Amino acid sequence: MDDRHYAAFKNFVSVENLQPDEVQALIDRAEYFKRGGAVPKLTSPVYVANLFFENSTRTHNSFGMAERKLGLTELPVDTAHSSMSKGETLYDTLLMLNAIGVNLAVMRHSDNAYYEPLIHTKPYQHLDMGIVNAGDGSGQHPSQCLLDMMTVHEHFGHFKGLKVAIVGDINYSRVAKSNMEMFNKLGAEVYFSGPEYWYDHKFDKYGKFLPIDELVDKVDVLNLLRVQHERHAGDPNEAGFSEESYFKKYGINHDRYNRMKDNAVIIHPGPINHNVELAGDLVESPKSLYVTQVVNGVFMRMAMLESVLRGRHLGGLE
Ligand code: CP
């Protein structure tokens, strides 16, 4: 063990309890991996299952790549054909995978806080597995949040005083929940924008809601959010939704893009709805860090997984 400060956690399910120094340690570690720094050598095998009960391109494959780079062994689990289709509970499924030898589960699930019964086990429950949350319903998205923080830190070198606008489908977005709290905690000035019907005043404690045209020329970071139709069942605003109208009222078109500050950036968790949240031909524009976010995601997920290996003393890491 060298004298560097490493983050160490038993599970990684939320950013709620992360302290700024822990976030900085994770960013430093991810930046180290990005520079080509050596990965720690595992002295015993560690087995990981990636359980994605919701679709994913970025998060699933990025965790897969991070696991390979760290030398973890993935046990492929086909969630669509597991015995959960016969009624087996999530807890029992994990208990069985744990008994088979899986040490870590990276999981995405549509239920908010699905991880609570898995990390707070009761008497007679023996689940001994690290849980890494890859997104829960409209709850939390810790790895997206931390790769966003890394990307903003890489561009600006700091967070204090940065003006950040979180724009769009805020109520339904787990990215928004994690990012509003984290940007606020790290000293950024948070603003919100988009349709008022997808904003809840309970978020006022983190920042101020303003029309997009009052924000585009003032903020340093535009954190756009995907419109999440899959979570709108029963939402009275879904029926009247039109892509054209959303783009016109809230989207980043060329006019709004040209009004942004010279050094300002756009981040978006993806997938992007072209010509809804952002003009299609601006996705890879100079101010858009969309691809950089995904590049950084692999290194941040390595740092997160390593912190759980250390927290659980897996692979001989401490
Ligand atoms: N940002 C994000 O979670 O993307 P995926 O759904 O593709 O993983």
Side-chain angles (χ1 to χ4, degrees), residues 55-60 108 141 144 269-271:
N55 292 344
S56 166
T57 295
R58 276 145 289 267
T59 314
H60 194 161
R108 169 170 291 188
H141 199 336
Q144 181 67 46

Side-chain angles (χ1 to χ4, degrees), residues 69-318:
K69 283 176 182 268
L70 284 174
L72 309 185
T73 305
E74 185 196 1
L75 181 74
V77 178
D78 180 358
T79 50
H81 295 95
S82 79
S83 286
M84 287 182 74
S85 65
K86 303 174 208 165
E88 189 163 36
T89 65
L90 184 59
Y91 177 88
D92 283 357
T93 301
L94 273 276
L95 186 65
M96 294 302 101
L97 289 173
N98 199 192
I100 288 165
V102 172
N103 310 106
L104 291 178
V106 174
M107 195 164 6
R108 169 170 291 188
H109 200 286
S110 57
D111 289 352
N112 284 21
Y114 69 81
Y115 47 78
E116 287 292 342
L118 307 175
I119 62 172
H120 302 298
T121 53
K122 299 187 184 114
Y124 303 118
Q125 292 186 322
H126 295 97
L127 187 65
D128 181 18
M129 184 188 261
I131 306 294
V132 179
N133 181 15
D136 60 296
S138 58
Q140 285 274 317
H141 199 336
S143 65
Q144 181 67 46
C145 172
L146 290 166
L147 74 86
D148 287 348
M149 298 307 130
M150 175 185 178
T151 304
V152 168
H153 184 266
E154 192 174 56
H155 186 82
F156 293 99
H158 67 98
F159 296 98
K160 204 136 196 80
L162 285 182
K163 291 183 166 58
V164 178
I166 300 176
V167 183
D169 191 355
I170 296 166
N171 278 345
Y172 294 100
S173 170
R174 52 195 172 213
V175 178
K177 312 288 166 38
S178 294
N179 284 14
M180 67 177 76
E181 176 166 350
M182 188 53 72
F183 276 125
N184 177 269
K185 200 182 287 190
L186 295 175
E189 231 175 83
V190 177
Y191 296 88
F192 299 103
S193 195
E196 282 199 73
Y197 49 79
W198 284 336
Y199 178 77
D200 190 308
H201 284 287
K202 71 182 178 203
F203 305 133
D204 288 352
K205 64 181 175 185
Y206 296 109
K208 196 171 174 182
F209 187 98
L210 287 170
I212 189 69
D213 287 310
E214 288 183 32
L215 288 170
V216 276
D217 55 349
K218 294 184 184 63
V219 297
D220 303 292
V221 180
L222 274 177
N223 186 172
L224 308 182
L225 302 171
R226 180 174 68 86
V227 178
Q228 302 195 50
H229 297 291
E230 74 273 24
R231 298 193 206 285
H232 290 177
D235 185 319
N237 302 295
E238 175 65 9
F241 179 86
S242 122
E243 293 191 343
E244 294 72 24
S245 162
Y246 184 97
F247 187 49
K248 195 165 171 212
K249 287 186 187 157
Y250 317 110
I252 302 305
N253 53 24
H254 281 258
D255 172 54
R256 290 185 178 124
Y257 182 89
N258 290 332
R259 287 168 50 209
M260 289 172 67
K261 295 202 290 194
D262 286 347
N263 198 32
V265 295
I266 295 169
I267 59 173
H268 189 303
I272 292 180
N273 295 306
H274 286 209
N275 303 317
V276 179
E277 300 107 17
L278 178 62
D281 58 358
L282 292 177
V283 171
E284 295 175 59
S285 61
K287 289 185 191 306
S288 167
L289 300 182
Y290 185 55
V291 178
T292 307
Q293 288 172 270
V294 178
V295 171
N296 287 346
V298 173
F299 303 108
M300 179 48 79
R301 290 182 173 109
M302 288 173 74
M304 292 172 67
L305 288 167
E306 184 196 29
S307 75
V308 180
L309 297 182
R310 291 189 190 282
R312 289 185 168 264
H313 310 301
L314 290 168
L317 297 193
E318 290 182 14

